[in-house]
Amino acid sequence: MSAPERIPSRGVTTTDPVFAELLARGELTVRGRIRDASNAALYCTVAHDGREAACVYKPVAGERPLWDFPDGTLAQREVAAYEVSRATGWDLVPPTVLREGPYGEGMCQLWIEAAPESELLALVDAQEPEPGWRAIGFAEVGEGRTALLVHADDERLRRLAVLDAVINNADRKGGHLLPTADGRLYGIDHGVTFNTENKLRTLLWGWAGEPLTGEAVDVLKGLQGALEASGPLTATLAALVTSAEVAATRARVAALLESGRHPEPSGEWPAIPWPPV
């Protein structure tokens, strides 16, 4: 018997049907646990029809209860974030499905190999960012010293900032950004999203208050249509989050289009997640 064809996690696009089929129907084999994850996250391989790929499996049974999110819903929110990303056409979230696994129902997401040399965040001893960087804010670095936290002025990050505003991401940390060797950027860990209250916490505040790009406006208009009562995205999300959360997502898209600008911190909720990485 020949070894299964190993599908690399580079150059992934959400339009590749092989990944959705592999993740949804393949046999999951647990290889280890990702120990720095806040919820149970298992590194696995998934094999089907002669193909194999690495993936992450997060069983619902391994989710820690949160005071502001209903128990047992984080896996569905991860899938919902993928579906919204897919609808934008930006391909910012790795292919993700909800399925049964060795430890019950959970989310299964394609493993992405990040390029370690890519620098998207930095701490600098300055008052203003250098060209090519955007300021996030000042951070304490010990002994009474502060440094300026900055992120790259990168169109891929800017798209992700728009997606986070739509899905109301409460936990966009630096460790959730995965740039790849082929120039793509993926965001992961979307379990705390889609809340009906404003929970946006992110490191990507560099464009706060600035006008949205024309590309972002066009994407948001597309989402607005897809989120109409009879829209295809509405039907998809309805199986993953509550009707109130779908309505809140629709309202966030409308608000972004009405303002024409990137959102700013509300002041009602910590604007930056902690720890930031």
Side-chain angles (χ1 to χ4, degrees):
M1 181 182 295
S2 60
E5 174 192 358
R6 187 63 179 261
I7 301 177
S9 57
R10 296 178 180 179
V12 180
T13 66
T14 56
T15 57
D16 291 340
V18 62
F19 290 111
E21 181 182 19
L22 184 59
L23 292 170
R25 300 181 59 189
E27 180 180 357
L28 274 176
T29 301
V30 176
R31 303 297 184 183
R33 181 168 182 172
I34 303 171
R35 295 194 176 278
D36 58 354
S38 56
N39 295 286
L42 304 175
Y43 178 76
C44 303
T45 55
V46 59
H48 176 68
D49 196 22
R51 294 189 173 98
E52 181 181 279
C55 62
V56 177
Y57 162 53
K58 295 183 181 179
V60 172
E63 295 178 3
R64 294 194 308 175
L66 298 171
W67 68 269
D68 51 351
F69 285 85
D71 292 351
T73 67
L74 304 191
Q76 291 95 319
R77 295 171 194 279
E78 295 248 27
V79 179
Y82 162 69
E83 293 293 349
V84 174
S85 169
R86 184 182 177 199
T88 67
W90 281 336
D91 193 30
L92 295 170
V93 178
T96 313
V97 303
L98 192 69
R99 58 162 293 168
E100 287 292 324
Y103 300 102
E105 185 180 59
M107 82 84 166
C108 187
Q109 183 176 84
L110 190 70
W111 178 267
I112 299 296
E113 292 289 346
E117 67 275 9
S118 298
E119 189 175 22
L120 298 175
L121 298 165
L123 279 168
V124 296
D125 187 12
Q127 295 297 309
E128 298 290 338
E130 294 183 356
W133 293 87
R134 292 273 177 161
I136 303 168
F138 289 94
E140 294 185 8
V141 293
E143 299 179 355
R145 295 176 54 247
T146 61
L148 183 64
L149 183 61
V150 297
H151 67 68
D153 191 0
D154 187 311
E155 69 173 7
R156 300 171 302 172
L157 290 179
R158 192 165 190 172
R159 290 170 177 168
L160 196 57
V162 174
L163 176 66
D164 283 344
V166 170
I167 66 177
N168 197 16
N169 192 353
D171 196 31
R172 175 61 70 205
K173 297 178 179 178
H176 300 168
L177 304 172
L178 300 181
T180 63
D182 61 1
R184 293 182 179 274
L185 175 71
Y186 294 94
I188 60 170
D189 285 350
H190 297 107
V192 285
T193 50
F194 295 98
N195 201 295
T196 56
E197 299 180 10
N198 182 9
K199 298 275 186 181
L200 185 61
R201 292 197 305 171
T202 177
L203 288 177
L204 305 181
W205 287 116
W207 299 280
E210 293 192 9
L212 297 165
T213 65
E215 177 195 46
V217 170
D218 289 342
V219 164
L220 289 168
K221 287 179 179 178
L223 285 180
Q224 189 172 49
L227 284 166
E228 292 179 353
S230 59
L233 188 54
T234 295
T236 299
L237 294 182
L240 299 166
V241 297
T242 69
S243 59
E245 288 167 336
V246 175
T249 304
R250 185 182 301 120
R252 286 191 295 271
V253 171
L256 286 166
L257 285 170
E258 183 177 2
S259 71
R261 295 180 178 274
H262 287 269
E264 298 181 80
S266 66
E268 301 173 355
W269 182 256
I272 296 176
W274 191 261
V277 177

